[in-house]
């Protein structure tokens, strides 16, 4: 991106008008951004996810750090349907409003996550009040109400939406989720994109998923993208969640996916990056949150501290990843970490509860780790 189009992207399409309306304080805070985001300012946005805990407890220390190092934010949980609309017609805007206000105040690129997902959906979403299943028409109507209300509230403030999340089941094609089963097919996906585009034509619309390096998943998605292009389904980007580990995935497969999606005209977003340093439980490497494994000390070897050799491998892994991102900076719009410091990562509890993981760039005391300095050094 050129600097002008990057600026417009950062601000959203309304761009120039919005720019004129920026409050002086927002410009002031953006100017104070001295960390990762400014180091990579000519390459891509650098983002983080903001947790409900940070929003609910108004964690100023962490918020100051986020404003210094990142220029994009994603709602880790507060905009998921079970949280923002816990029952049909009952909306809870508290944390979502705080999230958007924080991003606006700091002149950040704001990502809404996620409009359609099979997980974290309220219990009553797929059924009538008597418990009987809803039909296709009712599903579309509920989806429309959800998307219309959520996007409508933040129109002009949220620049990018994860419109559909995790609708593909690895090598098996479309996930047979409650969405799919109620609809009878995967039409809900394109329906969601068409509606989101109609509601906010300036919003950047993404399909987001994990294990996007998987060749079977890649081939399936590429076919979907070709079909969508042919039929004019408005999709602008692909989110590779990037929940990776020290040894997986093979970065060549990761790169092949970046190239394959970009070749279909998609902008690339690495949306949920972190590097898991713990032993792989039963070779599990996905992010399907219904998976769980029993705790054992063997699976939690660094409960007290991270050994130096593993810290070095973590740093090296981040350097390899960012070298790859820089190589494809023409295709990549954003690299977002799934959290800021190790203490808040979902990886402490997944796929085994109660472990001590070290997947992010800041430690539990919010101090930058060697990986952070290595990524800064890459740009010097
Ligand atoms: O990080 C999120 C965690 O706090 C939630 O408990 C979990 C439950 O669904 O979702 C996590 O975020 C997920 C994201 O929304 C979609 N991709 C996979 C992420 C990790 O599960």
């Amino acid at each position: 991106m050129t600097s002008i189009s990057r600026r417009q992207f950062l601000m959203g399409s309304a761009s120039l008008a919005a720019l004129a309306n920026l409050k002086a304080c927002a410009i002031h805070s953006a100017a104070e951004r001295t960390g990762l985001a400014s180091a990579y300012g000519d390459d891509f946005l650098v983002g983080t996810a903001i947790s409900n805990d940070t929003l609910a407890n108004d964690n100023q220390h962490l918020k100051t750090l986020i404003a210094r190092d990142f220029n994009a934010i994603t709602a880790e949980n507060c905009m998921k349907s079970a949280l923002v609309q816990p029952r049909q017609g009952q909306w809870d805007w508290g944390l979502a409003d705080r999230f958007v206000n924080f991003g606006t105040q700091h002149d950040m690129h704001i990502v809404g996550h996620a409009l359609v997902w099979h997980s974290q959906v309220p219990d009553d979403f797929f059924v009538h009040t008597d418990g009987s299943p809803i039909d296709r028409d009712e599903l579309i109507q509920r989806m429309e109400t959800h998307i219309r209300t959520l996007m409508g509230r933040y129109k002009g403030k949220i620049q990018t939406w994860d419109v559909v999340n995790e609708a593909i089941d690895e090598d098996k094609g479309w996930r047979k989720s409650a969405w799919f089963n109620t609809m009878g097919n995967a039409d809900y996906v394109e329906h969601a994109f068409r509606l989101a585009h109609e509601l906010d034509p300036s919003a950047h619309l993404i399909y987001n998923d994990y294990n996007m390096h998987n060749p079977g998943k890649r081939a399936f998605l590429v076919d979907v993208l070709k079909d969508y292009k042919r039929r004019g389904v408005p999709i602008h980007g692909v989110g590779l969640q990037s929940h990776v580990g020290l040894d997986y995935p093979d970065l060549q497969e990761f790169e092949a996916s970046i190239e394959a999606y970009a070749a279909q005209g998609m902008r690339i977003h690495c949306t949920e990056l972190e590097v898991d340093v713990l032993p792989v439980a039963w070779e599990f490497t996905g992010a399907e949150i219904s998976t769980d494994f029993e705790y054992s000390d063997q699976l939690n070897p660094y409960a007290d501290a991270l050994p130096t050799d593993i810290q070095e491998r973590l740093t090296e892994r981040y350097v390899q990843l960012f070298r790859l991102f820089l190589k494809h900076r023409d295709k990549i719009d954003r690299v977002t970490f799934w959290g800021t410091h190790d203490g808040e990562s979902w990886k402490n509890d997944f796929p085994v509860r109660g472990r001590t993981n070290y997947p992010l760039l800041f430690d539990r005391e919010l101090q930058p780790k060697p990986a952070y300095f290595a990524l800064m050094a890459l740009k010097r």
Side-chain angles (χ1 to χ4, degrees):
M1 263 189 232
T2 65
S3 57
I4 289 177
S5 68
R6 173 169 298 284
R7 178 77 185 161
Q8 285 174 330
F9 182 65
L10 187 65
M11 298 309 303
S13 61
S15 51
L16 297 178
L19 193 57
N21 286 335
L22 267 183
K23 294 192 185 110
C25 68
I27 292 166
H28 182 63
S29 4
E32 285 171 353
R33 207 168 277 136
T34 53
L36 275 178
S38 61
Y40 287 84
D42 290 334
D43 307 306
F44 36 72
L45 297 165
V46 182
T48 188
I50 303 198
S51 73
N52 279 0
D53 188 62
T54 303
L55 297 165
N57 298 322
D58 196 21
N59 186 336
Q60 287 300 334
H61 188 24
L62 181 53
K63 283 164 81 179
T64 303
L65 190 159
I66 290 172
R68 185 195 69 196
D69 270 283
F70 302 96
N71 54 8
I73 51 169
T74 304
E76 185 187 9
N77 284 302
C78 68
M79 284 185 182
K80 291 172 179 172
S81 56
L83 285 102
V84 78
Q85 192 190 186
R87 298 191 65 75
Q88 290 300 296
Q90 209 181 86
W91 292 84
D92 184 350
W93 298 112
L95 298 186
D97 281 356
R98 284 191 193 190
F99 165 78
V100 172
N101 289 342
F102 174 75
T104 307
Q105 190 192 352
H106 291 282
D107 187 19
M108 289 168 142
H109 185 92
I110 306 180
V111 182
H113 171 86
L115 296 174
V116 173
W117 191 24
H118 63 279
S119 195
Q120 286 178 292
V121 187
D123 294 340
D124 68 349
F125 193 83
F126 295 106
V127 290
H128 291 293
T129 38
D130 65 2
S132 60
I134 58 169
D135 64 13
R136 182 182 199 280
D137 292 343
E138 179 69 18
L139 180 76
I140 292 177
Q141 206 187 324
R142 289 185 182 192
M143 180 174 84
E144 286 199 9
T145 303
H146 185 78
I147 296 181
R148 196 176 292 281
T149 311
L150 188 46
M151 283 189 79
R153 187 174 181 91
Y154 301 118
K155 190 170 176 179
K157 293 183 173 169
I158 291 193
Q159 291 84 24
T160 291
W161 282 99
D162 288 342
V163 177
V164 177
N165 195 36
E166 302 173 7
I168 302 172
D169 189 5
E170 300 311 295
D171 291 340
K172 303 189 207 74
W174 293 115
R175 180 187 295 280
K176 305 301 177 292
S177 64
W179 286 100
F180 185 99
N181 294 334
T182 308
M183 190 87 186
N185 54 42
D187 287 358
Y188 70 95
V189 176
E190 68 172 272
H191 210 83
F193 276 98
R194 289 192 196 276
L195 179 66
H197 185 61
E198 182 189 311
L199 290 171
D200 187 353
S202 66
H204 189 77
L205 306 179
I206 285 185
Y207 174 74
N208 189 50
D209 210 331
Y210 59 82
N211 282 351
M212 293 289 262
H213 58 276
N214 173 339
K217 202 166 192 170
R218 179 199 309 142
F220 182 79
L221 181 55
V222 164
D223 282 347
V224 170
L225 294 171
K226 283 182 180 161
D227 176 46
Y228 280 8
K229 197 166 18 172
R230 211 166 30 236
R231 294 188 300 105
V233 179
I235 174 170
H236 311 123
V238 169
L240 294 83
Q241 291 186 5
S242 318
H243 296 294
V244 305
L246 291 175
D247 304 311
Y248 61 86
D250 177 346
L251 289 191
Q252 284 181 354
E253 295 293 356
F254 199 93
E255 180 170 29
S257 289
I258 293 176
E259 287 170 337
Y261 306 139
Q264 296 310 315
M266 294 294 105
R267 300 301 304 165
I268 303 298
H269 300 247
C270 298
T271 51
E272 304 183 12
L273 175 64
E274 89 267 296
V275 179
D276 190 333
V277 302
L278 295 180
V280 174
W282 286 274
E283 296 306 309
F284 178 83
T285 59
E288 171 50 47
I289 52 109
S290 56
T291 320
D292 226 340
F293 294 96
E294 208 174 310
Y295 176 91
S296 75
D297 285 344
Q298 229 179 357
L299 287 172
N300 190 27
Y302 318 128
D304 298 329
L306 189 62
T308 313
D309 59 327
I310 307 293
Q311 183 85 268
E312 284 168 2
R313 285 179 59 199
L314 176 71
T315 303
E316 181 49 31
R317 184 69 165 161
Y318 266 121
V319 167
Q320 286 169 5
L321 284 159
F322 270 70
R323 284 210 172 106
L324 181 65
F325 300 155
L326 286 170
K327 179 176 171 193
H328 294 288
R329 62 199 280 278
D330 60 323
K331 307 173 188 66
I332 297 179
D333 278 347
R334 172 171 59 97
V335 175
T336 287
F337 293 84
W338 205 236
T340 302
H341 67 90
D342 290 338
E344 68 176 354
S345 171
W346 73 297
K347 277 290 178 175
N348 292 302
D349 288 308
F350 181 86
V352 182
R353 281 193 187 284
R355 297 199 293 179
T356 307
N357 214 328
Y358 302 82
L360 294 165
L361 294 187
F362 294 86
D363 68 17
R364 286 170 168 75
E365 277 71 52
L366 304 193
Q367 294 306 308
K369 292 157 64 174
Y372 174 93
F373 294 112
L375 296 188
M376 291 295 278
L378 259 190
K379 288 299 298 176
R380 271 192 215 111

